[in-house]
Amino acid sequence: MNPLLLTPPILWNLDRYSEADSVCQIVEGRSDEFNREERLWWQLECSQHPARELDAAKQLAESAPNLLQRVAMHALGANQPLEAIEACSGYDPTVSRMMAEWAGSAWSNCMAAFHILGDYEGELEFIVEKRGEDVERFSRQETRALIALGRLDEAEELIERRLSNLGPNDSPISILNRAAQEYDAHMNPDVAKELWERALQWLSSLPQETADPVAYRRNKAGILLFLGRNEQALDLLEALASENPDVIADQGRLGVARAALGNRIGAEEISQVLVPMDQPFRRGANIAWRSFIAARLGDLDEAVRLLDQAIAE
């Protein structure tokens, strides 16, 4: 495998999107030097088109079954959750060490597919099957499924257990914020508010000398927006957007805050700032934020149009 083909995903995982795009263009210009498998790898890593990525992953997985986890991932990206579940059904972690190491990613994609389809019972059954005796494995997904099923006592117990036994990739802010969003999505706004308030309290308890100031402000501003404390969020977001003009999420949240406060001119100004930020490998993130701004302004037809466009990318 030509090492150039392995470089783009490394770069975009480091948020070095322009460099990744430059490498992809170099590879495209030399495509006649590559064999069929290498051209499929280019399509998988560089096409930036969900349907083409999925097609490449499926063709590559025919001879490399470990790539079924990529099929599941790209099926989700192409809004094909049933294909993601089908790919997972053929994934056997006992075949090789590599497949065993990537099994968690495959199962997580399958759980997400069940959730997207609204099959929360199926999601929970799959979680119980795949976690085996490790009851803490996939606890984030289990929390999500329990909330969606309305099994709130069990969800609350699991949240508290996770908070008292943090995993290597967990933090109280991520646990509380994700759970709150799930409660809010499933018509439990009071519980969601309680969790967001707890998240704010946790943030306030952090020693200022050890807290990452940018991450701290982003987390706080995001939670304040969820709580509807838009004026408090606005001060943080104006500063973040000014300091980070190329960060799509900072600009997008500022637009949402302005819209929530009735500042149509200011919100539309940010929406226009986001238009040219359609950078490589951003997957329509700028368009999604424009959709959120339009929705907050009450322009629902425009919001749906933009969201459809974002999903397509």
Side-chain angles (χ1 to χ4, degrees), residues 7 22 106 123 129 156 184 199 220 223 230 232 261 268 278:
T7 305
S22 296
E123 179 183 18
E129 174 191 346
E156 181 180 354
D184 197 49
K220 185 174 182 179
I223 292 169
N230 301 306
Q232 292 175 259
L261 289 167
E268 291 178 343
D278 194 14

Side-chain angles (χ1 to χ4, degrees), residues 72 91 101 187 272 294:
Y91 194 92
E101 290 176 349
M187 312 302 288
Q272 290 307 304

Side-chain angles (χ1 to χ4, degrees), residues 168-241:
N169 298 315
D170 281 334
S171 73
I173 190 86
S174 65
I175 292 171
L176 292 167
N177 191 23
R178 284 172 173 165
Q181 290 184 55
E182 199 69 36
Y183 275 113
D184 197 49
H186 292 282
M187 312 302 288
N188 287 285
D190 293 339
V191 181
K193 182 178 179 181
E194 289 175 11
L195 294 182
W196 279 318
E197 292 285 4
R198 286 180 65 183
L200 275 182
Q201 291 172 11
W202 180 80
L203 278 174
S204 300
S205 72
L206 290 176
Q208 293 302 302
E209 63 273 14
T210 60
D212 179 334
V214 175
Y216 174 88
R217 287 184 294 158
R218 282 179 177 149
N219 282 322
K220 185 174 182 179
I223 292 169
L224 288 170
L225 280 180
F226 281 128
L227 286 168
R229 299 180 191 173
N230 301 306
E231 290 185 359
Q232 292 175 259
L234 185 65
D235 291 338
L236 293 167
L237 292 167
E238 292 280 7
L240 284 166

Side-chain angles (χ1 to χ4, degrees), residues 89 91 105 110 147 162 166 181 188 213 237 271 298:
S89 69
Y91 194 92
S105 174
C110 194
I147 294 170
R162 292 174 64 201
L166 294 175
Q181 290 184 55
N188 287 285
L237 292 167
S271 187

Side-chain angles (χ1 to χ4, degrees), residues 33-267:
E33 301 175 21
F34 303 126
N35 59 34
R36 174 182 176 274
E37 182 183 79
E38 289 173 328
R39 285 194 291 272
L40 285 171
W41 268 106
W42 175 88
Q43 183 175 321
L44 180 67
E45 303 293 8
C46 292
S47 68
Q48 301 183 57
H49 188 283
R52 292 188 65 198
E53 290 167 348
L54 175 58
D55 179 64
K58 289 163 69 174
Q59 291 189 60
L60 287 165
E62 290 174 2
S63 57
N66 58 293
L67 291 176
L68 283 169
Q69 61 91 16
R70 291 292 299 268
V71 175
M73 180 179 78
H74 290 290
L76 288 179
N79 198 27
Q80 299 294 330
L82 288 174
E83 283 205 51
I85 293 172
E86 182 181 353
C88 291
S89 69
Y91 194 92
D92 184 354
T94 66
V95 168
S96 68
R97 180 178 176 180
M98 181 178 292
M99 291 190 74
E101 290 176 349
W102 288 359
S105 174
W107 304 153
S108 294
N109 286 322
C110 194
M111 292 165 196
F114 278 115
H115 203 80
I116 290 168
L117 290 166
D119 185 0
Y120 309 127
E121 289 283 4
E123 179 183 18
L124 191 58
E125 289 174 6
F126 190 82
I127 290 167
V128 172
E129 174 191 346
K130 297 304 180 185
R131 74 183 180 197
E133 296 181 1
D134 183 359
V135 295
E136 301 303 326
R137 194 180 189 198
F138 305 124
S139 57
R140 176 173 64 84
Q141 292 88 343
E142 184 180 2
T143 303
R144 178 180 68 194
L146 288 170
I147 294 170
L149 287 167
R151 293 163 59 173
L152 304 188
D153 290 342
E154 294 171 78
E156 181 180 354
E157 181 181 341
L158 181 54
I159 291 166
E160 296 304 325
R161 192 171 79 229
R162 292 174 64 201
L163 288 169
S164 63
N165 185 29
L166 294 175
N169 298 315
D170 281 334
S171 73
I173 190 86
S174 65
I175 292 171
L176 292 167
N177 191 23
R178 284 172 173 165
Q181 290 184 55
E182 199 69 36
Y183 275 113
D184 197 49
H186 292 282
M187 312 302 288
N188 287 285
D190 293 339
V191 181
K193 182 178 179 181
E194 289 175 11
L195 294 182
W196 279 318
E197 292 285 4
R198 286 180 65 183
L200 275 182
Q201 291 172 11
W202 180 80
L203 278 174
S204 300
S205 72
L206 290 176
Q208 293 302 302
E209 63 273 14
T210 60
D212 179 334
V214 175
Y216 174 88
R217 287 184 294 158
R218 282 179 177 149
N219 282 322
K220 185 174 182 179
I223 292 169
L224 288 170
L225 280 180
F226 281 128
L227 286 168
R229 299 180 191 173
N230 301 306
E231 290 185 359
Q232 292 175 259
L234 185 65
D235 291 338
L236 293 167
L237 292 167
E238 292 280 7
L240 284 166
S242 176
E243 295 164 15
N244 305 283
D246 297 325
V247 177
I248 290 173
D250 286 344
Q251 301 299 324
R253 287 193 185 97
L254 174 58
V256 169
R258 287 180 177 179
L261 289 167
N263 182 357
R264 173 174 285 274
I265 293 174

Side-chain angles (χ1 to χ4, degrees), residues 277-298:
M277 295 180 74
D278 194 14
Q279 296 135 323
F281 300 101
R282 295 304 178 91
R283 307 289 184 180
N286 64 319
I287 304 170
W289 278 108
R290 294 185 65 215
S291 172
F292 303 155
I293 293 168
R296 208 67 177 86
L297 288 170

